[in-house]
């Protein structure tokens, strides 16, 4: 029912899941009470007895005293069912909010722990899309899909128990045909998962491409390539739109399959009831009860199929978030270390090599900077100036040597990102 990995990383969702399960049980009782009251009301209103088990010939004129109690009971059951549905949705939304908050906080903290070396291997736009729009997709999973999963576990079981007690033949038909809905749902889920994952990959590519275009827009305007890139974004957007419509088309077709299977099953129950009513072997009130309850056994499962597509994108994004959260934090490498005394910056015999390059980018580099001293690193392009600073900050792996700093280091790159606030506040952002 609840994704195990989601539950492990968001413990606050467990109480709300328990609340949804309790409300689902009460909702099943409300469904049975509604069907019982409605069947009794109709049977009494048209004069076919006042109790179950009455034959078709037991006719009696309806009276207000006989009709009103069942009418009040029906209204109470309908109101209770509506209130329970609202309460389940509210609890599910609270669960979604708590999970999304926990995932975003955990994702930000884990990304900081993974460090800039790991972040350099991922696209910024992909991570931003994952933490915002991707995590928001969990609303469909918790607020729509999860409550229906709870109802699909409680309502059919309760309905089957009542059906076997009232008319075992109809209960047997429902019991045999009910597994067809989960079977079709599983087949639909297999096909949907592929489409959703493909759409998410396309969205990541589109987000990364759009970010690159926006970042390089001044250069594109200078060289007259802005219109060409706009056309490329338009093509990528059209591809994403087509993929979205393809997924929606699959969702509509799958809903049709589930509706068709449940409708045929209910029709089989209705035919059997009709034949036995004509033969006089089944009383009207029991037949009405079975006819009203039979569709209720299939309804939660149909809703699970209808809301599965709304939750698939959120679950796919949550899977990627959990993949990041479960990425092990790399072990510390020789790099900046906080000194016990105020000694400035000391770098001794630092060697840095990049993957795929035969020679090290920085070899046996040493530097000493006293507190308050201003030092400029100069040299030809590619000499290793930026690599020395990245090694001091811990942005790259160090092959050999040590780097010791007297305290926290603030780094202002060549192209800094300035946030709202003063320059001093931007410098103190790390603290």
């Amino acid at each position: 029912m609840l994704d195990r990995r989601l539950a492990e990383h968001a413990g606050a969702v467990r109480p709300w899941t328990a609340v949804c399960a309790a409300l689902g049980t009460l909702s099943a009782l409300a469904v049975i009470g509604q069907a019982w009251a409605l069947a009794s009301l109709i049977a009494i209103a048209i004069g076919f007895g006042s109790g179950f088990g009455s034959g078709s010939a037991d006719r009696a004129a309806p009276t207000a005293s006989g009709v009103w109690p069942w009418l009040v009971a029906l209204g109470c059951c309908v109101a209770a069912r509506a209130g329970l549905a609202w309460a389940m949705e509210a609890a599910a939304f609270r669960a979604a909010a708590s999970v999304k908050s926990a995932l975003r906080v955990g994702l930000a903290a884990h990304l900081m722990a993974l460090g800039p070396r790991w972040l350099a291997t991922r696209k910024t736009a992909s991570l931003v899309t994952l933490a915002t729009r991707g995590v928001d997709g969990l609303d469909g999973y918790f607020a729509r899909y999860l409550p229906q999963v709870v109802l699909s576990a409680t309502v059919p079981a309760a309905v089957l128990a009542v059906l076997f007690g009232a008319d075992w033949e109809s209960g047997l038909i429902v019991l045999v045909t009910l597994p067809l809905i989960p079977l079709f749902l599983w087949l639909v889920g297999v096909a949907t998962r592929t489409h959703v994952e493909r759409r998410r990959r396309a969205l990541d590519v589109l987000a990364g491409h759009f970010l690159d275009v926006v970042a390089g827009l001044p250069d594109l305007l200078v060289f007259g390539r802005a219109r060409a890139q706009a056309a490329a974004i338009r093509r990528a957007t059209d591809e994403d739109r087509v993929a979205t419509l393809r997924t929606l088309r699959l969702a509509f077709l799958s809903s049709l399959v589930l509706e068709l299977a449940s409708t045929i099953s209910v029709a089989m129950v209705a035919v059997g009831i009709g034949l036995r009513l004509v033969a006089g072997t089944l009383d009207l009130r029991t037949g009405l009860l079975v006819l009203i309850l039979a569709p209720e056994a299939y309804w939660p499962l149909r809703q699970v199929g209808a809301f599965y597509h709304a939750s698939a994108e959120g679950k796919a994004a949550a899977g990627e978030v959990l993949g990041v959260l479960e990425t092990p934090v790399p072990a510390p490498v020789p790099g900046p270390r906080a000194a016990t005394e105020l000694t400035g910056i000391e770098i001794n015999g630092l060697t840095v090599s990049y993957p795929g390059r035969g020679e090290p980018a920085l070899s046996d580099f040493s530097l000493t900077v006293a507190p308050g001293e201003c030092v400029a690193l100069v040299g030809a392009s590619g000499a290793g100036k930026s690599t020395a600073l990245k090694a001091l900050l811990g942005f790259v792996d160090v092959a050999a040597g040590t780097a010791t700093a007297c305290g926290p280091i603030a780094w202002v790159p060549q192209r800094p990102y300035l946030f709202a606030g003063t320059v001093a506040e931007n410098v103190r952002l790390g603290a």
Side-chain angles (χ1 to χ4, degrees):
M1 182 178 63
L2 177 62
D3 191 286
R4 180 182 58 83
R5 297 168 68 197
L6 276 176
E8 290 176 356
H9 289 273
V13 74
R14 295 192 185 99
W16 295 110
T17 305
V19 170
C20 287
L23 293 174
T25 303
L26 295 176
S27 181
L29 297 178
V31 168
I32 295 173
Q34 175 183 321
W36 197 297
L38 183 59
S40 300
L41 181 62
I42 295 175
I44 294 174
I46 62 178
F48 276 91
S50 59
F52 285 91
S54 301
S56 298
D58 298 335
R59 309 248 344 213
T63 61
S65 60
V67 171
W68 273 107
W70 291 111
L71 188 61
V72 172
L74 177 61
C76 292
C77 290
V78 171
R81 191 175 178 183
L84 291 169
W86 174 86
M88 283 192 68
E89 189 165 331
F93 269 111
R94 290 294 298 272
S98 63
V99 171
K100 291 192 299 182
S101 178
L103 286 179
R104 284 182 174 131
V105 171
L107 181 63
H110 199 70
L111 289 176
M112 294 294 292
L114 289 173
R117 290 190 299 273
W118 186 88
L119 288 174
T121 63
R122 299 291 297 267
K123 293 183 178 180
T124 303
S126 176
L127 291 174
V128 171
T129 303
L130 185 63
T132 53
R133 180 174 176 179
V135 176
D136 281 338
L138 286 173
D139 281 335
Y141 176 74
F142 282 97
R144 297 286 185 268
Y145 179 74
L146 187 58
Q148 293 304 322
V149 171
V150 173
L151 291 177
S152 68
T154 57
V155 172
V159 169
L160 279 174
V162 175
L163 288 179
F164 272 101
D167 180 27
W168 69 268
E169 295 182 22
S170 299
L172 184 61
I173 295 175
V174 174
L175 180 63
V176 172
T177 57
L178 197 61
L180 294 176
I181 306 299
L183 175 62
F184 290 144
L185 181 59
W186 176 77
L187 294 175
V188 168
V190 171
T192 303
R193 191 179 303 114
T194 303
H195 283 274
V196 170
E197 291 176 355
R198 187 182 305 160
R199 183 176 176 274
R200 278 207 53 78
R201 288 194 296 268
L203 186 61
D204 288 341
V205 172
L206 178 61
H209 184 64
F210 185 77
L211 180 63
D212 293 339
V213 169
V214 171
L217 192 57
D219 296 332
L220 293 173
L221 290 173
V222 169
F223 292 99
R225 299 296 300 169
R227 293 183 179 275
Q229 289 300 320
I233 291 180
R234 189 179 299 109
R235 288 194 300 271
T237 304
D238 289 339
E239 292 175 0
D240 180 70
R241 176 179 56 81
V242 171
T244 302
L245 292 177
R246 189 180 298 115
T247 303
L248 290 175
R249 183 166 57 249
L250 180 62
F252 293 145
L253 290 176
S254 61
S255 298
L256 175 62
V257 171
L258 298 179
E259 291 286 346
L260 182 61
S262 61
T263 301
I264 293 176
S265 302
V266 173
M268 293 172 61
V269 174
V271 169
I273 291 175
L275 293 176
R276 281 179 289 152
L277 284 175
V278 172
T281 58
L282 184 69
D283 63 279
L284 178 62
R285 181 182 286 190
T286 302
L288 289 173
L289 175 65
V290 173
L291 279 178
I292 296 172
L293 275 181
E296 297 290 348
Y298 301 96
W299 178 79
L301 294 173
R302 297 203 318 266
Q303 293 299 102
V304 168
F307 292 129
Y308 176 81
H309 305 276
S311 68
E313 183 177 356
K315 287 189 65 176
E320 294 185 25
V321 173
L322 296 178
V324 174
L325 291 175
E326 294 169 358
T327 301
V329 177
V333 296
R337 298 198 308 270
T340 57
E341 299 179 358
L342 190 64
T343 58
I345 297 175
E346 293 184 3
I347 300 177
N348 296 313
L350 198 63
T351 300
V352 179
S353 298
Y354 291 110
R357 293 181 56 174
E359 298 182 357
L362 192 67
S363 180
D364 195 22
F365 176 75
S366 300
L367 173 67
T368 301
V369 181
E373 185 179 3
C374 184
V375 175
L377 292 180
V378 296
S381 179
K385 303 183 296 298
S386 299
T387 300
L389 294 176
K390 290 179 180 178
L392 180 62
L393 296 166
F395 286 6
V396 295
D397 293 330
V398 175
T402 60
T404 304
C406 63
I409 300 174
W411 174 52
V412 180
Q414 292 175 331
R415 295 183 178 180
Y417 293 93
L418 297 178
F419 299 92
T422 64
V423 175
E425 290 172 345
N426 276 267
V427 172
R428 293 194 302 265
L429 187 62

